[in-house]
Amino acid sequence: MRWIWIDRFVEFESGKRAKAVKNLSAAEDHYAQHFPGYPVMPATLILEGLAQTGGILAGEANAFREKVVLGKINKARFSREFLAGETLEYEVELVHMRPEGATVVGKVLVEGEVAAEAEIFFAHLDQSRSKQAFGESNFVFTGEMKHLLDQARRAGATNHGTVV
Amino acid sequence: MASHEDVLRKVSSTLVEALNIDEDEIKPASTLAGDLGAESIDFLDIVFRLEREFGIKIPREELFPEVAQTSDIELLRDGKYTAKGLAELKKSLPFANFDDFEKNPEAALFGNLFTVDMIARFVQDKLVRSGKA
C-alpha cells in the first residue's frame, strides 16, 4: 500500500502555510474494515494526511535537510465523519520552528466547513536524539514524497511566487 | 512585574496543555517525568510552548546541558555523577534543587531535577533578564 494520504498540494507558502487536498475514494482498502457496511474514513488516517501536509511544510522550511518525524499530537478534534466521495482540504500553518523541531496547527475542511482541527508537533530526528546515528540519507523525504514535493513547488510558484 | 506565583501558574497551565493532565495534579515540587509522566518528546514540546507562552528564547543547552549525557568518566562514572560532574551540573542548572539528587547522583535520576518550580524559576529569570518581568 502506498503511504501517501494527500493527493495534491494546491497552495504552498514557504515556512508559513500550505494547503493540500485529499479525495476520499471508496476503492481505498480501509473502508472494507472500517466499518463493514458503514464505510467511514478512519480519523487516524485523516490526521496522517494533515501530518503529511504539515511535515512537508516544516521540512521544506529547512530545505529538507532535517528528518522531520511526527512527535506527538496534543489535541485533535473531529466534528463529523468523513465519507467516500468527499474532498478534504488540509490547511496547515507553521507556528513554531526551532533546530529541534516544529509545531503546526491544522484544519480539515469539507466544502468550506471546518470538520477537524489538530495541533501537531514534529521532531527533527538528528537534532532531538543527538546520540543516535541515523545515517546520511534522509529516509523521511524520499520516494513517494518527492512527487508531492514537486507539486508543492509548483503550487508555491503558481500561487505565491515562492519557488522552493 | 510577573511574580513567582504568576509565572508558576502560567507554567502549570502550559504543562496542563502539553501533558494533558489536570491542573490539580500539578504541585510545585512535582517532577515532570516521574510525577507528571513527561516523556522525552514532551520535554521538547514543553520548551516550545514556554517560548510561545512567555515570548522568550530557550537555547537547548540551557535546559538540557551536555554534561548530563557526558561520556567523560571524570564527570560521570558507573552511572553516577562524580563530585566534579555534580559541580558542573549545578553550574548548568542553577534553578534546580539538588538536595535529594546530591545524596544519590545517579544519571538515571537526572530527570527528577526538573520540577514545576524549577521550570518556573528558570522562566522567571529569563523574563527578568529580557526586561519582561
Side-chain angles (χ1 to χ4, degrees):
Chain A
M1 185 199 272
R2 284 159 53 78
W3 196 251
I4 289 290
W5 293 98
I6 51 183
D7 291 335
R8 189 160 56 90
F9 276 93
V10 290
E11 289 175 27
F12 200 91
E13 207 173 336
S14 181
K16 288 187 180 160
R17 51 180 288 279
K19 184 170 169 180
V21 291
K22 159 74 183 158
N23 291 306
L24 303 185
S25 164
E28 286 166 12
D29 287 343
H30 54 81
Y31 285 116
Q33 302 296 321
H34 193 277
F35 300 95
Y38 188 67
V40 178
M41 179 75 171
T44 45
L45 292 179
I46 303 271
L47 286 177
E48 177 66 26
L50 201 58
Q52 290 186 356
T53 311
I56 289 174
L57 177 67
E60 191 276 334
N62 287 311
F64 302 110
R65 283 189 301 270
E66 301 289 350
K67 299 178 183 83
V68 179
V69 295
L70 178 54
K72 67 188 262 197
I73 296 176
N74 253 7
K75 308 188 247 222
R77 203 170 61 81
F78 293 83
S79 50
R80 73 201 275 293
E81 290 168 343
F82 300 86
L83 309 171
E86 291 185 313
T87 297
L88 313 187
E89 291 178 314
Y90 291 131
E91 288 187 358
V92 296
E93 194 186 326
L94 191 63
V95 294
H96 203 139
M97 172 64 81
R98 274 177 53 112
E100 302 90 352
T103 304
V104 303
V105 290
K107 284 189 280 204
V108 184
L109 294 102
V110 181
E111 292 180 355
E113 301 234 331
V114 177
E117 291 171 284
E119 182 184 304
I120 305 177
F121 176 72
F122 296 97
H124 294 155
L125 212 46
D126 296 334
Q127 297 281 349
S128 57
R129 309 189 74 170
S130 54
K131 299 287 172 193
Q132 220 163 326
F134 285 97
E136 286 300 309
S137 71
N138 193 327
F139 58 82
V140 178
F141 297 112
T142 182
E144 294 171 331
M145 286 284 177
K146 281 194 173 149
H147 180 57
L148 284 169
L149 302 185
D150 288 343
Q151 288 178 341
R153 289 189 179 97
R154 282 201 293 275
T158 323
N159 290 292
H160 298 282
T162 318
V163 179
V164 299
Chain B
M1 181 172 161
S3 69
H4 182 65
E5 279 65 38
D6 290 339
V7 175
L8 194 61
R9 202 173 308 123
K10 227 162 146 185
V11 164
S12 297
S13 63
T14 303
L15 293 173
V16 165
E17 288 271 310
L19 303 173
N20 275 318
I21 47 179
D22 289 332
E23 187 107 36
D24 54 17
E25 286 180 59
I26 300 181
K27 303 197 168 38
S30 305
T31 60
L32 268 53
D35 296 332
L36 304 180
E39 296 176 15
S40 61
I41 200 81
D42 296 318
F43 277 88
L44 273 182
D45 184 26
I46 290 164
V47 168
F48 274 50
R49 283 170 189 278
L50 292 173
E51 285 197 338
R52 289 205 295 277
E53 188 66 35
F54 290 96
I56 52 175
K57 285 270 166 226
I58 305 176
R60 184 179 176 180
E61 179 64 16
E62 287 187 16
L63 268 186
F64 306 103
E66 265 177 33
V67 58
Q69 301 177 45
T70 183
S71 53
D72 184 343
I73 57 163
E74 280 198 26
L75 302 174
L76 176 63
R77 193 179 302 155
D78 301 328
K80 279 194 177 193
Y81 294 101
T82 61
K84 193 177 166 193
L86 202 54
E88 291 275 322
L89 271 184
K90 282 185 179 174
K91 211 160 57 180
S92 303
L93 297 170
F95 301 103
N97 181 341
F98 280 85
D99 292 354
D100 284 337
F101 188 71
E102 245 170 348
K103 293 173 198 153
N104 186 20
E106 275 186 48
L109 301 175
F110 170 73
N112 289 346
L113 290 170
F114 293 84
T115 61
V116 177
D117 188 60
M118 179 263 196
I119 300 290
R121 291 202 289 153
F122 170 83
V123 168
Q124 192 166 23
D125 178 68
K126 281 257 151 204
L127 291 172
V128 169
R129 281 168 197 266
S130 61
K132 288 181 180 166

